[in-house]
Amino acid sequence: MKIYTKFGDGGQTYLASGIKVSKTDPRVDLYGSCDELNSTIGLALSFTKDLSLEPAFLNYLKSIQCFLFEIGSELAGYVPRDSKEGTVVHTSDVESLEKEIDRLMEVLPEIKFFILPGGSSMASALHIGRTICRRLERDLLVYIESGGEIHSDLRIYLNRLSDYLFAAARFANFSIGQEETIWKSRTK
């Protein structure tokens, strides 16, 4: 099977719903950003082979990758048939993120200052993922405010996911003994 169709050469693509749209369609941007986020988490995980990190932490990140694939399909117009809510995201998915954030934060030192994104390669990639997630959330809101329909649980999940990625980046640094870089104002 060839991976190219040549259909997109004219600047058009099909959404999962079968609707033909321009590649500049907001839905294409949304699922493209979701794919970018998923790829960035994959990049973060690629830095773990020589690190001694908690398996539960790594497995949770991998499960997020799988779930982002489903979210990307929904953003591309796929409507899950087995869901009464019309979304792959459930309240329990948001609760799971909150529980995992709380679990990670329990072991992390309290932050008394702003920290700069960075540290280890893994944490840096997770911080990039966090910023992509925030952009995806903003773009999703623009889409909704312009009349597009996206389930609110999906929007809430993305909001919480960016919080999780912040905690995950800190946890990755903490787990390998990498200190956070404290932001220092130029005016003080």
Side-chain angles (χ1 to χ4, degrees), residues 12-188:
Q12 302 283 307
T13 190
Y14 283 102
L15 296 177
S17 60
I19 298 171
K20 183 178 175 181
V21 297
S22 167
K23 287 187 175 184
T24 62
D25 188 274
R27 292 295 288 235
V28 177
D29 272 341
L30 291 174
Y31 71 74
S33 292
C34 189
D35 186 35
E36 184 181 356
L37 172 58
N38 201 341
S39 297
T40 305
I41 293 172
L43 175 65
L45 286 166
S46 76
F47 294 122
T48 65
K49 67 178 182 165
D50 297 325
L51 302 177
S52 179
L53 291 167
E54 176 187 277
F57 172 64
L58 299 176
N59 289 335
Y60 198 82
L61 279 168
K62 290 173 189 173
S63 74
I64 288 172
Q65 274 199 290
C66 290
F67 194 45
L68 282 172
F69 200 85
E70 294 176 44
I71 289 172
S73 294
E74 184 173 323
L75 292 172
Y78 171 74
V79 179
R81 292 187 184 117
D82 61 343
S83 173
K84 294 179 226 166
E85 293 85 19
T87 181
V88 296
V89 180
H90 301 106
T91 304
S92 60
D93 297 313
V94 175
E95 291 168 352
S96 173
L97 278 174
E98 291 172 350
K99 184 178 177 184
E100 186 64 4
I101 291 168
D102 292 343
R103 186 184 79 78
L104 298 180
M105 294 300 288
E106 280 180 7
V107 300
L108 295 174
E110 181 182 353
I111 303 176
K112 297 184 179 173
F113 304 98
F114 288 109
I115 61 169
L116 297 176
S120 66
S121 297
M122 181 184 191
S124 297
L126 290 170
H127 277 297
I128 292 170
R130 173 184 55 80
T131 62
I132 293 168
C133 191
R134 287 285 189 211
R135 176 173 27 94
L136 174 56
E137 181 186 5
R138 289 189 307 272
D139 291 347
L140 192 71
L141 289 171
V142 168
Y143 179 76
I144 292 167
E145 290 170 2
S146 68
E149 292 185 26
I150 299 287
H151 197 282
S152 63
D153 284 349
L154 197 157
R155 179 182 48 78
I156 293 166
Y157 181 83
L158 291 174
N159 186 338
R160 210 66 80 249
L161 179 58
S162 62
D163 295 333
Y164 167 77
L165 292 169
F166 177 77
R170 289 196 64 224
F171 185 79
N173 278 337
F174 178 78
S175 295
I176 63 168
Q178 174 72 49
E179 286 191 29
E180 302 285 357
T181 304
I182 304 297
W183 168 72
K184 293 179 181 149
S185 171
R186 295 184 313 157
T187 60
K188 292 183 181 181

